[in-house]
Amino acid sequence: MIGAIADDVTGGTDAAVAFRRQGLRTAIHFGLPEAVDPGLDAVVIALKTRTIPAADAVAQSLAAADRLRAAGADRLYFKYCSTFDSTAAGNIGPVLDALAALTGADAVVHTPASPEHGRTAYQGHLFVHDQLLSDSPMRDHPLTPMRDANLVRLMDAQSTGRSAAVPHQVVSDGAEAIAAAITKARRDFRYLFPDALTDADLLAVARAVADEPLTGGGAGLAGALARVAAERRGPATGPPPQPPGGRAAVLAGSCSRRTLEQIAHLREAGRPAHRLDALATPDPEALAATALAWYDALDTEAAPLVYASLPPQALAEVQRAHGTERSAQILEAAVARVALGLKERGVTRFVCAGGETSGAIVAALGIGGGLIGAEAARGVPWIHTADGLDVLLKSGNFGDPDLLLTASEPR
């Protein structure tokens, strides 16, 4: 079993679908589970540790590692964001330090590179499409501003072990050359960042480190490790996963450009839609009650949309009125109450847009995790829970413009 520990919910989903895409039987848990099914090929425990105090992140990650190892996971993967989201204090470095000590790993190969998402690493520097990380919009992230693109410097600032890059000329020579470089580097370095410009580079890295007790990074290397595991196991058996049926609803909170496009596409198709207006009603309980009364009055079987998403100018107006943090709290609490009310009314298929929105809905519905099913879009899988709910947790910028529409169609 491959056991993965992710530092946020949607990142965990991203890793889980990377495993499932290669045919591995995969489950995801949101938060620390009481137990892990030992009969699976891969299990992801998605925590929310990216920006909490480092000591808390370490404690939660070690507890997750213990659960995974107890179920038979002999290889651990620490999943973090493909833009290396962290501060000078962590939490990537402190968590990897602790996991390395737990597993006895004397050299940990990890990389945020995910070429299919435009994240590449060259000469130890991380690029976002054609920009250095430090020149990308991540430079001004409110919680984890990334002002340096040098992965070695970033890691050395927050970990106790020294780091080094494995240059692309070594990676391009294949798995044997990478393995030889790792063996040589073990004497002096704990953390190694292999350059990766293509998925083929990541596959070569995965072949070199497939038996290491601890690796990490973005979903790119996770998927490459899954491919190696699938090749060793042999062809998957059974039919491919299918999208679920059941009564559906769409809940959106992301204000990203792509989610706004998807909402517009849904409304243009004639779907009933209700906006949670925090400017007029800054009370989550009242907002949810109004939305559920609207739902009860619908005379159509078409899956409705309840959304808090706003374009930048309108969002700024709400934030000026109530403050940025309070505005988010109001809307997330309202969406959570709406989700719970829809479940009580017989909705079993939830299409959720936005990382924080997804987290609020998962908590409200008491979803501890589930099996990973078919992808509605690249990196956006259905999750089938033990109590009969099917949830789609979409990061803000993921999916084509018609994703919310097609995912919620009658089946």
Side-chain angles (χ1 to χ4, degrees), residues 242-265:
Q242 298 297 316
R247 187 182 299 179
V250 182
L251 301 172
S254 169
C255 296
S256 72
R257 179 180 300 177
R258 177 45 55 96
T259 296
L260 293 174
E261 290 175 348
Q262 291 164 340
I263 288 172
H265 197 88

Side-chain angles (χ1 to χ4, degrees), residues 318-337:
V318 175
Q319 291 174 337
R320 281 194 299 269
H322 305 304
T324 300
E325 185 175 347
R326 177 59 182 155
S327 299
Q329 290 172 345
I330 292 168
L331 292 171
E332 287 170 23
V335 169
R337 284 176 166 82

Side-chain angles (χ1 to χ4, degrees), residues 248-345:
V250 182
L251 301 172
S254 169
C255 296
S256 72
R257 179 180 300 177
R258 177 45 55 96
T259 296
L260 293 174
E261 290 175 348
Q262 291 164 340
I263 288 172
H265 197 88
L266 198 68
R267 299 191 67 181
E268 288 166 3
R271 289 288 185 86
H274 177 84
R275 184 167 73 84
L276 300 171
D277 187 353
L279 190 62
T281 310
D283 177 354
E285 190 169 341
L287 284 170
T290 300
L292 291 170
W294 168 83
Y295 177 83
D296 290 338
L298 292 175
D299 60 357
T300 176
E301 294 297 318
L305 164 69
V306 177
Y307 67 106
S309 309
L310 292 171
Q313 186 173 351
L315 176 63
E317 187 177 356
V318 175
Q319 291 174 337
R320 281 194 299 269
H322 305 304
T324 300
E325 185 175 347
R326 177 59 182 155
S327 299
Q329 290 172 345
I330 292 168
L331 292 171
E332 287 170 23
V335 169
R337 284 176 166 82
V338 170
L340 191 57
L342 292 175
K343 177 186 175 184
E344 293 169 350
R345 288 160 170 79

Side-chain angles (χ1 to χ4, degrees), residues 44-100:
V44 180
I45 297 179
L47 306 173
K48 295 183 71 175
T49 55
R50 182 170 296 170
T51 58
I52 67 175
D56 295 337
V58 167
Q60 291 184 34
S61 300
L62 287 175
D66 286 341
R67 290 286 195 282
L68 292 166
R69 282 155 60 94
D74 55 354
R75 290 158 292 163
L76 294 182
Y77 190 86
F78 178 50
K79 166 63 173 69
Y80 55 74
C81 188
S82 63
T83 46
F84 207 78
D85 295 13
S86 58
T87 68
N91 290 336
I92 294 172
V95 170
L96 279 175
D97 284 346
L99 293 176

